[in-house]
Amino acid sequence: MGRHHLYPRSHLLDIQLANGNGFVAHPQQLPPAIPPLRLTPRDDSTRIQLQRQVLKEQHASAIVSKTIPGFKTSAAFFASLRTNLRLHASPPASPMSTPPSMRGSAASLPPPSPLSQAVDSVMGDDIDGPSHEDPLAGVPELKTYMTEDEEERIAALKLSADSIAQMRQTANNALITHPVNMAVAVAVVALVARYMVDSKQDTYLAGTTCAGIIMAVLAGFRYITKDYLFAAESINWDWLGDADVIITTFGDEVIGTVIVDWVSGESRQKRKKAWRGEIKAYTVRLKYRRKGVGSALLEEAVKEAKKKGAETIEFAADHANSKRVLPSFYNAVFDKRERKARELLQDLLQTSPGRGKRK
């Protein structure tokens, strides 16, 4: 009876919660000795919720940072930049246009971009329009003309003498690289080396002997071609005489010359004396060859022949580069150069004004 009095079966146990909502339970589901409960709100519930919210935001930002490409790299770069960047202790004075409230914060402002001035200058140039500069403005002028200046005539004589001296080097190369000479030299060296090895001579001595033979052969080649140096030394004022000197200058440098002597002789019609031009020297500086300089020189020589009323112009039989020191089978390079020069001169004569084109 006492139990039924404490917990009547016809009533439900009502538990009041802190938020005002009710929780209803049947009395048979509760232990019989538990008294009625009343829950009170906790003081730290709001703080815990805020902490959970912060943790959720941090977790979300960590997930986003992992999905963005280059996020960690960019963060490390800006962190390093922030660490290494130090502004001067005394920043420059603020301009007059800066408001007073912002003049004290000049030290916290970042330095100006280094590209600002460059971009402004480029855009400023575009306003004036594209520049139309001559691409050959810095290149020296190339001129071909007949000269009477003494210094230029001396330079032309030196250039002609140098071309003869260069023929010696070409002749030496022809001697060294000729198949017959190479075969003979190899055979001599091989025989001497075989003899010294068979006679129980020292290997070092055999190699030294073979090297000495090669040096002696090269010295002999240079001795054979020494006459080219004597021919170069003969180019002087007496050799020039009254000949006309035509030069090509590249700036202040004489890079080519053709020396023409004018002689009189019987004309082809046998009616009167006629002038003709004889080319005594024709050369171009070595590094300017195969660039059309020689053609311009011969063309100018043909024009001068027309002005003087010459019947023709041709290479003299004893021109400066006609000397041959070696036998004919070593002079293939020289003969080829002279043949091409003569053919070029004939083409210019046929196509020059007043002569008509060659058929």
Side-chain angles (χ1 to χ4, degrees), residues 54-66:
V54 171
L55 292 176
K56 288 182 181 181
E57 293 177 357
Q58 292 179 355
H59 180 68
S61 63
I63 295 177
V64 172
S65 64
K66 292 181 181 179

Side-chain angles (χ1 to χ4, degrees), residues 40-48:
T40 58
R42 298 180 61 181
D43 297 333
D44 58 349
S45 60
T46 304
R47 190 180 353 173
I48 293 174

Side-chain angles (χ1 to χ4, degrees), residues 229-248:
L229 296 180
F230 299 148
E233 293 176 357
S234 64
I235 304 298
N236 49 32
W237 289 110
D238 295 335
W239 174 85
L240 180 62
D242 297 331
D244 291 339
V245 178
I246 301 174
I247 62 172
T248 296

